[in-house]
Amino acid sequence: MKILVFVECADGNVKKNSLEAVAFAHTMGGPVTALALGSAAQVELEALGKYGATKVLHAADARLNQGIIQAYASVIAKAFQDEGSDVLVLADSSLGTPVAARVAARVDASLASNVVELPNMSAGFVVKRSIYTGKAFARVELTKPKKVIGIKKNAAEVKEVGSNCPVTPYPVTLADADFATAITSSEKATGEVLLPEANIVVSGGRGMKGPEHWGMLEELAKTLHAATGCSKPVSDMGWRPHHEHVGQTGVKVAPQLYIAVGISGAIQHLAGVNSSKCIVVINKDPEAPFFKAADYGIVGDAFDILPKLNDAIKAAR
Amino acid sequence: MKILVCISHVPDTTSKINFTDNNTRFDANGVQFIIGPYDDYALARAVELKETSGATVTVLNVGPADTEPTLRKALAIGADDAVRINAEPTDSFFVARQIAEHAKAVGYDLILMGRESIDYNGGAVHGIVGELLGIPSVSPVMKLDIEGNKAKLAREIEGGKEYLEVNLPFVAGCQEPIAEWKIPNMRGIMSARTKPLKVVEPVSVDSGIKLKQFELPPPKGAVKMIPADNVQELVSLLKNEAKVL
Ligand SMILES: Cc1cc2nc3c(=O)[nH]c(=O)nc-3n(C[C@H](O)[C@H](O)[C@H](O)COP(=O)(O)OP(=O)(O)OC[C@H]3O[C@@H](n4cnc5c(N)ncnc54)[C@H](O)[C@@H]3O)c2cc1C
Ligand SMILES: Nc1ncnc2c1ncn2[C@@H]1O[C@H](COP(=O)(O)O)[C@@H](O)[C@H]1O
């Protein structure tokens, strides 16, 4: 089985979730070709070999520096055919998921996004997908000869399994139609840990009382190398940017550790965090529903506990 | 301008999820169904565009007859007419093929959807429809303005946003804050009863997806409570027991 992995790059670096996609493909077995689009650091691409790529293709065309859904889909679909691949694996993301949809339609593949573990290939090709926004799973069989799968964070463990691998330039011919959407500008937080990729998330709710108190959460996040998140009302009120809002209608996170401070734990919020490995809840109300979904809980005042917790973690490290 | 809004009919966000028939069927018992929350944003923006620029808005759902109250609600919110494609919406590709077939026949200037459904969570129908119709698709869109034949959009990306321009027609998967959810008023509810709702039979599609079984996550263990004056205890549990630090 020949596997193609779309490797997403940001600012020339391979995204962490894409390393998981390479590791996932490697564990599935079969030769793994990784494909990177736009500018990307040579060392990062070579290193994909360590995580299981047997071949790395690089379409360095500068027009691909921006993540344009159609252009990306065209190049990936072409590579899928050129390489004679059976399966395309990529990490679900705001770019990856819509790109996967177009590629699947173009190459006539069975499509599954939100895949949480390795496919079962003992009888057909059965994947487990997260559905109902993390409240359930479905096992579905992908019956077409070609398959496209988008994986959720933590679907595979990133391990070194090999050594650096040479990078082959992949020349592309792009049509004007591929650039029917033009990106005119962008705003991006730089240097921060990105929420969907973070191993630890520190999240605040209305219990934080106002944006002026976020410094405390940010301190803790800094100590933990964590990303910051928030509940929906917090972003609705403009205390925090929209892309930090976690939940059913926001970002779905799956970190090792999710620390919720002053968040009541409404079911719509839980829907975005229920794939976390460990959940800590800090809330002054012992009846807050979030405690039922938590692994560890502290009943107390956030403003009292946050600085102490920050100190204790610093001391323990 | 002709706008098509595709809406899913999904369990209310507070629903507990259960399955029946040996975990092969969703248990709709006691479940309240709503317009998908992201689709509701798409619909709200479409109705705003109708109010400001005289567009017509058609809502479409792929689903069996019991989704009709959801379509009526969309009509009450301000859509002009509704189409129900009479089939069980089994997966993204199946749904997308039905939508594309209808859209090809009618010809829309703008097709709005939600960024994802909250039952299937494919995040895929808009992309597949775009591909099948050979037009651009953009998602997740948090801002959409139309100027003549051109649209200006903002798309959310990890840690920020991008601003884009694209010519009509195209498909957008929408999310907040593209518009505020609209609640139907009495006049809307009354007029929705007589607005046209057309039922169309599906085309046959091999989507390449076969459901084997549903599964619920394992029940969560009991929470361990730690006294507020002993955060050191929490840190040591996170380190040594949960092994997440
Ligand atoms: C269709 C729909 C979709 C939704 N999607 C989302 C979503 O994606 N994400 C989301 O988050 N919400 C979502 N919501 C909203 C959700 O229902 C809740 O209203 C929201 O999550 C509540 O936010 P909160 O916990 O910050 O605020 P509150 O419910 O007001 O809770 C604040 C908490 O802080 C605690 N507190 C107060 N002061 C302190 C203190 N000093 N120290 C410690 N604790 C303190 C309180 O005890 C309380 O538990 C959605 C709602 C709907 C209808
Ligand atoms: N059964 C359906 N009928 C009409 N539109 C749908 C249906 N299912 C999904 N959609 C639309 O497609 C979007 C993306 O769905 P999905 O790819 O399932 O996440 C949704 O937000 C809806 O706008």
Side-chain angles (χ1 to χ4, degrees):
Chain A
M1 190 173 38
K2 291 169 88 173
I3 308 173
L4 180 70
V5 179
F6 161 52
V7 168
E8 200 177 329
C9 300
D11 308 318
N13 300 319
V14 169
K15 283 193 160 186
K16 213 175 73 196
N17 292 358
S18 288
L19 293 183
E20 288 182 1
V22 172
F24 187 96
H26 170 78
T27 324
M28 277 174 66
V32 175
T33 300
L35 170 67
L37 277 59
S39 86
Q42 187 79 6
V43 282
E44 293 245 335
L45 296 183
E46 286 170 356
L48 292 171
K50 289 189 192 154
Y51 306 106
T54 41
K55 181 171 167 186
V56 177
L57 298 176
H58 185 199
D61 195 306
R63 285 175 296 172
L64 298 171
N65 287 353
Q66 290 177 316
I68 294 182
I69 293 169
Q70 261 175 301
Y72 271 44
S74 293
V75 176
I76 296 167
K78 175 86 173 18
F80 191 89
Q81 267 141 358
D82 287 353
E83 291 292 301
S85 313
D86 304 295
V87 184
L88 169 69
V89 176
L90 53 75
D92 280 320
S93 72
S94 68
L95 180 64
T97 310
V99 164
R102 293 196 77 118
V103 174
R106 179 118 25 133
V107 305
D108 191 25
S110 291
L111 169 71
S113 58
N114 259 325
V115 170
V116 295
E117 63 184 35
L118 285 169
N120 180 344
M121 291 179 279
S122 61
F125 189 106
V126 178
V127 297
K128 181 176 174 182
R129 342 182 25 245
S130 166
I131 54 170
Y132 293 102
T133 320
K135 293 180 195 166
F137 299 99
R139 291 190 190 272
V140 296
E141 183 177 352
L142 308 192
T143 55
K144 288 185 183 171
K146 294 176 190 157
K147 292 144 181 97
V148 172
I149 50 185
I151 63 165
K152 242 185 121 154
K153 188 168 185 297
N154 292 338
E157 197 187 334
V158 177
K159 278 190 304 226
E160 285 203 15
V161 293
S163 51
N164 274 358
C165 153
V167 177
T168 316
Y170 184 67
V172 292
T173 38
L174 292 157
D176 286 347
D178 292 326
F179 297 95
T181 51
I183 299 174
T184 48
S185 64
S186 62
E187 288 165 19
K188 225 171 176 175
T190 49
E192 291 172 30
V193 184
L194 290 181
L195 185 56
E197 301 194 351
N199 277 327
I200 302 181
V201 175
V202 179
S203 216
R206 207 143 54 176
M208 289 298 293
K209 304 284 194 285
E212 66 277 14
H213 297 127
W214 239 262
M216 254 181 225
L217 273 180
E218 283 169 325
E219 277 299 308
L220 179 61
K222 210 168 113 199
T223 307
L224 289 166
H225 300 294
T228 49
C230 65
S231 66
K232 183 170 187 293
V234 164
S235 72
D236 286 349
M237 291 182 292
W239 295 1
R240 299 298 297 173
H242 184 267
H243 64 253
E244 286 196 4
H245 141 211
V246 170
Q248 178 121 37
T249 49
V251 181
K252 285 99 195 163
V253 297
Q256 296 286 308
L257 175 60
Y258 186 81
I259 304 181
V261 188
I263 304 179
S264 58
I267 191 159
Q268 296 97 348
H269 187 83
L270 298 183
V273 307
N274 50 21
S275 304
S276 309
K277 183 169 172 227
C278 177
I279 295 178
V280 172
V281 169
I282 300 169
N283 196 302
K284 70 172 186 193
D285 174 9
E287 301 299 324
F290 218 146
F291 285 118
K292 288 204 184 71
D295 298 282
Y296 302 104
I298 297 185
V299 176
D301 188 337
F303 303 113
D304 166 42
I305 291 166
L306 276 174
K308 285 192 197 151
L309 182 59
N310 191 25
D311 290 344
I313 291 168
K314 275 188 180 155
R317 283 201 150 184
Chain B
M1 184 167 60
K2 273 161 59 181
I3 307 177
L4 177 67
V5 181
C6 301
I7 60 168
S8 54
H9 160 92
V10 295
D12 173 71
T13 53
T14 56
S15 308
K16 289 243 159 26
I17 304 300
N18 289 301
F19 302 105
T20 58
D21 292 9
N22 198 21
N23 282 331
T24 56
R25 248 162 42 110
F26 177 75
D27 183 359
N29 208 345
V31 172
Q32 174 107 24
F33 284 85
I34 57 168
I35 299 173
Y38 297 110
D39 320 353
D40 225 352
Y41 288 117
L43 177 62
R45 186 66 190 127
V47 172
E48 284 177 1
L49 290 171
K50 171 181 158 171
E51 283 159 4
T52 54
S53 67
T56 59
V57 178
T58 301
V59 279
L60 178 153
N61 169 260
V62 180
D66 49 4
T67 71
E68 287 191 6
T70 304
L71 279 170
R72 289 278 171 213
K73 183 171 174 210
L75 292 171
I77 287 171
D80 299 294
D81 64 330
V83 175
R84 180 173 68 81
I85 298 177
N86 186 28
E88 205 59 57
T90 48
D91 59 82
S92 324
F93 193 78
F94 179 86
V95 169
R97 266 299 306 278
Q98 307 304 334
I99 295 171
E101 209 68 31
H102 167 81
K104 221 179 288 170
V106 177
Y108 290 95
D109 303 296
L110 181 61
I111 302 180
L112 300 184
M113 307 192 188
R115 67 175 288 176
E116 68 180 55
S117 57
I118 64 162
D119 50 359
Y120 194 78
N121 298 113
V125 170
H126 33 75
I128 302 171
V129 169
E131 187 67 31
L132 294 175
L133 296 176
I135 59 176
S137 57
V138 188
S139 176
V141 174
M142 54 199 304
K143 190 171 181 313
L144 181 154
D145 291 305
I146 308 279
E147 290 167 17
N149 191 36
K150 188 178 251 165
K152 291 192 169 171
L153 315 174
R155 183 174 98 86
E156 187 157 87
I157 54 175
E158 283 77 15
K161 50 185 148 174
E162 273 171 3
Y163 296 92
L164 304 100
E165 286 182 7
V166 58
N167 288 339
L168 304 180
F170 65 96
V171 190
C174 305
Q175 69 169 37
E176 63 176 347
I178 194 164
E180 300 249 356
W181 282 326
K182 291 198 185 322
I183 297 158
N185 57 24
M186 210 19 130
R187 216 183 65 211
I189 295 168
M190 296 303 287
S191 68
R193 292 188 190 153
T194 52
K195 285 179 178 172
L197 190 163
K198 195 167 83 182
V199 180
V200 178
E201 288 310 312
V203 290
S204 97
V205 173
D206 170 20
S207 66
I209 297 284
K210 216 160 84 191
L211 174 78
K212 297 299 231 188
Q213 201 161 44
F214 293 118
E215 209 172 293
L216 290 173
K220 191 96 189 164
V223 56
K224 223 177 237 184
M225 298 305 292
I226 293 133
D229 57 8
N230 195 0
V231 291
Q232 287 77 11
E233 167 75 2
L234 174 64
V235 175
S236 100
L237 285 167
L238 291 176
K239 221 170 153 173
N240 306 317
E241 189 178 75
K243 299 194 182 358
V244 289
L245 280 189

